[in-house]
């Protein structure tokens, strides 16, 4: 038995917790930073939209309850540092990731709402971006089908979200905190250089790409040599990929940023899961894509069987089905972790979406009947915690700090007997807190 084993055996759980408390209170830089701001609630989407302010409110309420003595004992007050005192990101920092033409368009939309007779009503954003890109009128998305909204508070919320990431990176890189989680909205990983990706049909609820802005800030302000962006959202981070590749082309830089993404992928004549990209790697550009087939392709074909990882929810096809939570873990183990280890990052930025959770609105097949919806992935809190721990463990091998940024995750839809819809955010909060617990480290 090693010395550490004997030490752990002699100390009770209560005593070890007390020692940790004393150390954390004596050395505040050991705490994980949680960045949030009320400005995020000012981004208003159309009524009934899944990317709603209630998402982050529910997560904050669940966290506050835990910090005030929740029954699960998931967190201790001294493990976390909450921060809402940080600036909006500068327009100059935004211009490092996005074109000036796109920034001007966002400013123009904001200004038009300022002088509007009803500035609190959001406007469809995607058609405005398409017009700014001179897309022919016959190809413009109709306003009623635009799933990305822009309200009077949207620009400020998006600038504040990017400011949160920049602030978190500053704190972590300079050693003021061991890690950070940015509880922000709107999400950003679908926003490319010009906002909308070439050939794209939606802005994907995004305005500015906070993670890409933060990654470039780390490279240019802190002179970090290698930044890894790990995207765990159920949708491919096409905007982040686009910005990274454009930066490589413009600076003839092939190694300063590494991007990897796990996501659902289906492109067929019958259905395309948004955004319909990320089918393969682009190793020349330091891009590793890990597509997962949606579970609805296996529906009613295979019976659930036991899993080696945890209580199963995914139908397991004979052989390698390449779908469900088991395959998600396989991809993390076999593709993401070895790639991260080989790259040797100095900073890891996680684009963390919780829309791959079981029955989350974000992984629902949108052409399905809501009463009998099909879902493409079935991740659990244990999966998010496991992936977070695995990624941060690899990061510690190269002394890399980790900053996580909220992307998707929209809650579960329920329909009562009268046909009325309601959204529960309990699962979203549970998944997010499991991720945060793993980011902090073991209890």
């Amino acid at each position: 038995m090693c010395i550490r084993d004997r030490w752990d055996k002699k100390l009770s759980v209560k005593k070890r917790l007390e020692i940790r408390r004393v150390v954390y209170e004596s050395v505040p830089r050991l705490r994980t930073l949680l960045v949030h701001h009320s400005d995020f609630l000012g981004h208003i989407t159309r009524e009934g939209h899944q990317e709603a302010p209630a998402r982050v409110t529910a997560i904050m309420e669940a966290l506050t309850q835990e910090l005030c003595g929740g029954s699960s004992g998931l967190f201790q007050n001294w493990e976390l540092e909450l921060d809402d005192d940080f600036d909006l990101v500068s327009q100059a920092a935004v211009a490092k990731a996005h074109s000036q033409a796109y920034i001007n368009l966002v400013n123009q939309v904001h200004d038009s709402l300022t002088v509007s007779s009803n500035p609190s009503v959001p406007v469809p954003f995607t058609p405005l971006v398409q017009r700014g890109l001179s897309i022919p009128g016959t190809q413009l998305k109709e306003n009623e089908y635009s799933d990305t909204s822009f309200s009077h508070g949207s620009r400020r919320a998006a600038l504040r979200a990017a400011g949160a990431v920049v602030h978190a990176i500053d704190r972590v890189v300079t050693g003021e905190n061991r890690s950070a989680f940015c509880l922000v909205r709107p999400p950003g990983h679908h926003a490319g250089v010009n906002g909308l990706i070439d050939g794209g049909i939606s802005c994907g609820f995004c305005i500015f790409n906070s993670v890409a802005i933060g990654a470039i800030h780390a490279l240019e302000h802190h002179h970090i040599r290698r930044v890894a962006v790990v995207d765990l959202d159920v949708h491919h981070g096409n905007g982040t990929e686009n910005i990274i590749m454009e930066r490589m082309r413009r600076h003839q830089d092939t190694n300063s940023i590494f991007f990897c993404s796990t996501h659902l992928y289906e492109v067929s004549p019958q259905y395309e899961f948004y955004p319909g990209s990320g089918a393969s790697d682009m190793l020349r550009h330091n891009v590793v894509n890990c597509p997962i087939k949606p579970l609805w392709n296996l529906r009613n074909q295979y019976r659930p069987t036991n899993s080696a990882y945890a209580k199963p929810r995914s139908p397991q096809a004979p052989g390698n089905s390449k779908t469900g939570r088991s395959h998600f873990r396989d991809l993390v183990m076999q593709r993401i972790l070895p790639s991260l280890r080989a790259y040797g990052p100095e900073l890891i930025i996680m684009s963390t979406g919780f829309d791959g959770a079981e029955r989350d609105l974000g992984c629902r097949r949108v052409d399905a009947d809501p009463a009998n919806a099909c879902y493409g992935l079935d991740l659990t809190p244990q999966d998010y915690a496991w992936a977070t721990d695995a990624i941060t463990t690899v990061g510690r091998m190269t002394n890399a700090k980790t900053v996580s940024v909220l992307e998707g995750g929209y809650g579960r839809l329920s329909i009562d007997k009268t046909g009325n819809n309601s959204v529960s955010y309990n699962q979203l909060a549970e998944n997010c807190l499991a991720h945060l617990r793993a980011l902090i480290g073991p209890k």
Side-chain angles (χ1 to χ4, degrees), residues 40 88 95 112 122 146 168 181 201 203 210 222 232 256 258 320 363 392:
F40 302 142
L88 302 173
S112 69
S146 176
F181 178 61
I201 59 171
C203 292
S210 301
H222 293 286
L232 299 182
S256 62
F258 166 78
N320 184 8
C363 66
T392 54

Side-chain angles (χ1 to χ4, degrees), residues 209-286:
N209 195 315
S210 301
V211 164
I213 292 169
I216 296 171
H217 171 78
L219 292 170
E220 298 191 357
H221 183 77
H222 293 286
H223 306 293
I224 286 178
R225 293 171 298 171
R226 293 182 301 279
V227 177
V229 177
V230 181
D231 194 318
L232 299 182
D233 194 275
V234 79
H235 303 91
H236 178 234
N238 56 338
T240 307
E241 182 180 278
N242 172 250
I243 291 171
I244 289 172
M245 291 177 62
E246 176 60 22
R247 176 183 167 79
M248 288 182 177
R249 185 194 65 79
R250 198 166 60 240
H251 293 266
Q252 296 184 345
D253 172 12
T254 60
N255 203 45
S256 62
I257 305 182
F258 166 78
F259 175 75
C260 59
S261 173
T262 61
H263 48 270
L264 286 185
Y265 178 81
E266 180 175 14
V267 176
S268 69
Q270 292 76 34
Y271 185 75
E272 179 176 309
F273 186 78
Y274 179 81
S277 55
S280 58
D281 300 335
M282 289 177 283
L283 299 181
R284 185 165 63 93
H285 299 287
N286 266 15

Side-chain angles (χ1 to χ4, degrees), residues 46 49 122-131 135-149 196 200-203:
R46 69 171 188 257
H49 195 278
V123 298
F125 186 59
T126 300
L128 297 175
V129 178
Q130 289 176 319
R131 291 190 183 96
I135 292 176
T138 55
Q139 299 178 24
L140 294 180
K141 194 159 194 169
E142 296 181 30
N143 287 348
E144 61 190 284
Y145 297 116
S146 176
D147 53 14
T148 306
S149 301
L196 188 68
I201 59 171
S202 170
C203 292

Side-chain angles (χ1 to χ4, degrees), residues 19-129:
I19 292 172
R20 285 191 69 199
R21 181 188 66 78
V22 172
V23 172
Y24 273 63
E25 290 180 348
S26 303
V27 189
R29 61 184 174 84
L30 294 176
R31 299 173 182 171
T32 292
L33 184 70
L34 176 68
V35 189
H36 184 59
H37 201 280
S38 58
D39 278 351
F40 302 142
L41 307 181
H43 171 56
I44 307 300
T45 53
R46 69 171 188 257
E47 184 177 359
H49 195 278
Q50 63 195 55
E51 204 294 284
R55 299 171 58 231
V56 294
T57 300
I59 294 171
M60 276 303 298
E61 288 177 351
L63 178 60
T64 302
Q65 183 178 356
E66 285 294 333
L67 292 175
C68 292
S71 59
S72 68
L74 200 58
F75 302 103
Q76 303 294 331
N77 279 306
W78 39 263
E79 294 179 301
L80 279 169
E81 179 180 350
L82 276 61
D83 193 353
D84 64 355
D85 185 16
F86 55 93
D87 296 328
L88 302 173
V89 76
S90 68
Q91 296 269 338
V94 177
K96 298 287 187 179
H98 297 289
S99 67
Q100 191 59 51
Y102 177 64
I103 296 171
N104 292 342
L105 184 144
V106 171
N107 292 336
Q108 290 166 9
V109 176
H110 171 78
D111 292 343
S112 69
L113 288 172
T114 302
V115 299
S116 170
S117 59
N118 196 356
S120 62
V121 176
V123 298
F125 186 59
T126 300
L128 297 175
V129 178

